[in-house]
Amino acid sequence: MRYLLLSLFFSVPVFAQDPAQALRSRLQNAAADSDRIKIYLELSKYYTNDQPDSAVAYCNRGMQVAEKTSDRENEARLLLQMGDINITHHHTELARRFINESLSIFRQMNDKEGIAGAYDALGLL
């Protein structure tokens, strides 16, 4: 009986969805621009280590939406993510420019959490 249960357990295929695919399907259903930007940011973070070109592409898509809607907070978050991508792949000067630009926006908005995140990224750099 025990072996029968074990064989049934191991014979059932496991259907796990790829996290990136799940995010892309959420993106298709997202109505609000701010939700779409956040999903683009999550996708970029997902691809940062292994596929930097995809990470940058998703940041750029998010930036287009953020600029279209004048969403300064998410623009700064996307710039910070661009800095993180460049830190990960050892492009220090480019990373510094993105992070400083995000820091400038966070300062204008008086976003203490964003300022701290930008300083943290500069410290890592």
Side-chain angles (χ1 to χ4, degrees):
M1 181 69 170
R2 220 185 285 173
Y3 296 111
L4 177 65
L5 288 175
L6 276 175
S7 67
L8 286 174
F9 177 74
F10 288 113
S11 66
V12 176
V14 177
F15 298 105
Q17 189 173 17
D18 175 38
Q21 183 59 38
L23 286 168
R24 284 191 292 272
S25 66
R26 278 182 42 210
L27 185 62
Q28 292 174 351
N29 298 327
D33 287 332
S34 62
D35 292 339
R36 289 178 45 223
I37 293 168
K38 288 176 184 170
I39 295 169
Y40 282 132
L41 188 56
E42 288 180 51
L43 280 163
S44 177
K45 288 178 181 180
Y46 178 80
Y47 285 115
T48 294
N49 291 326
D50 300 326
Q51 298 178 31
D53 291 343
S54 295
V56 169
Y58 282 115
C59 266
N60 285 333
R61 290 179 192 170
M63 188 62 77
Q64 289 172 347
V65 177
E67 287 175 346
K68 183 181 79 171
T69 60
S70 301
D71 187 344
R72 298 290 286 164
E73 179 182 355
N74 279 319
E75 280 183 43
R77 296 203 186 291
L78 288 160
L79 287 166
L80 188 57
Q81 172 61 15
M82 289 290 285
D84 287 342
I85 294 165
N86 284 288
I87 287 173
T88 301
H89 297 283
H90 310 291
H91 303 288
T92 55
E93 286 307 312
L94 193 54
R96 188 179 330 284
R97 280 191 269 167
F98 282 120
I99 295 167
N100 280 326
E101 193 171 343
S102 74
L103 179 60
S104 175
I105 295 171
F106 284 133
R107 282 182 177 159
Q108 290 171 2
M109 295 173 40
N110 198 27
D111 181 336
K112 291 179 181 12
E113 184 180 322
I115 292 169
Y119 277 127
D120 185 44
L122 284 172
L124 289 173
L125 185 60

